[in-house]
Amino acid sequence: MKIVVTGSVAYDYLMTFPGFFRDHILPERLETISLSFLVDSMVRQRGGTAPNIAYTLALLGEKPSVLATVGEDFGDYRTWLENHGVDTSLIKEIPGLYTASFFANTDQANNQIASFYPGAMAFASRLSLRDITSKPDLVIISPNDPLAMDQYVRECKELGIAYVYDPSQQVVRVSGEELRRGVDGAHSLFVNEYEFGLLQKHTGFSAAEIIQRVGFVVVTLGAKGADIYADGVRYHVEAVPPKQILDPTGVGDAFRGGFLRGYSLGLDWETCGRMGSVAAAYCLEVKGPQEHSYTIEEFVARYRQNFDDGGKLDILLKSKVAHKI
């Protein structure tokens, strides 16, 4: 399956606060809130929704392409992605600008307060799916410049390309009209539980109406796993217990990569969801959205420690051989 992943490419500045945000928020003073948190640590990691998703897809044997705009500081990042099996030929550098930056502060309960500087991402709408020589089988529209997200929705519909609609953080920024356009006719929709509620509020669609308009819907539930709505049925998959919890950044992207790799192999809904859960656990155990690593054999072994797959993942093991050939 030829998969093109659109979305942000960013450097993540990840900080940890040795306390709880809730202890310092005064509900009666929300209109004049003013807070500053002294953090224990800060690291810069490679991030952004598009390469995060693509990285997990590549770990599991896909050869995804990323379509995005980046800044002059992207050189080392490009090399990293290429060395890990991600096609960067569709990534365009914008002269005079820096790559987008994500600043996230995480407390002891894994709650986050974050800010995002778009940088070169603001020019993502300059790129068009029409310029891709070989028509992709699937386009993932993940959080990006709002103009670009809406443009890619329109282009997918006009070109007859199936697309995954993943508005995620941009639910709060994209207009209700654009969200309705993205949902209506999407091949699939990925959101977390809170975003699913916001999506209903901003589109005016009920949960049932959204599910009816989309090929299949995946709602991630954090530690409670995920719900998959497909073929008129709700499938629930459990989360895989992490060995340790170091950082939640990028966990949802890893889930998407794991799920969509299973989907590309033609596996059933529950197996796809469980693959997403395994991929998410690996990401949760490290600091940074692309710092986890595993072989396909290790991934399958961990899957089977948590779920009975009845030999279904043998196809993943065989695909590794084909991928190397």
Side-chain angles (χ1 to χ4, degrees), residues 136-207:
D137 299 302
L138 186 68
V139 170
I140 301 172
I141 303 175
S142 68
N144 200 351
D145 174 69
L147 286 177
M149 293 177 70
D150 192 48
Q151 174 184 316
Y152 299 149
V153 166
R154 293 174 183 271
E155 289 181 347
C156 282
K157 291 182 176 181
E158 292 169 5
L159 297 171
I161 300 173
Y163 68 92
V164 175
Y165 194 51
D166 175 21
S168 299
Q169 306 98 312
Q170 291 293 53
V171 170
V172 301
R173 182 70 184 268
V174 176
S175 72
E177 179 183 354
E178 290 169 335
L179 289 171
R180 285 190 291 273
R181 184 158 44 244
V183 167
D184 204 4
H187 174 269
S188 51
L189 169 71
F190 282 75
V191 285
N192 67 29
E193 188 175 21
Y194 192 80
E195 292 159 355
F196 194 38
L198 283 177
L199 191 63
Q200 294 170 57
K201 176 182 178 181
H202 295 323
T203 61
F205 295 153
S206 67

Side-chain angles (χ1 to χ4, degrees), residues 29-47:
R29 299 288 180 86
L30 289 180
E31 292 183 359
T32 57
I33 191 169
S34 178
L35 287 171
S36 176
F37 297 98
L38 180 64
V39 300
D40 275 354
S41 64
M42 184 182 81
V43 294
R44 189 179 86 154
Q45 305 281 7
R46 293 169 290 269

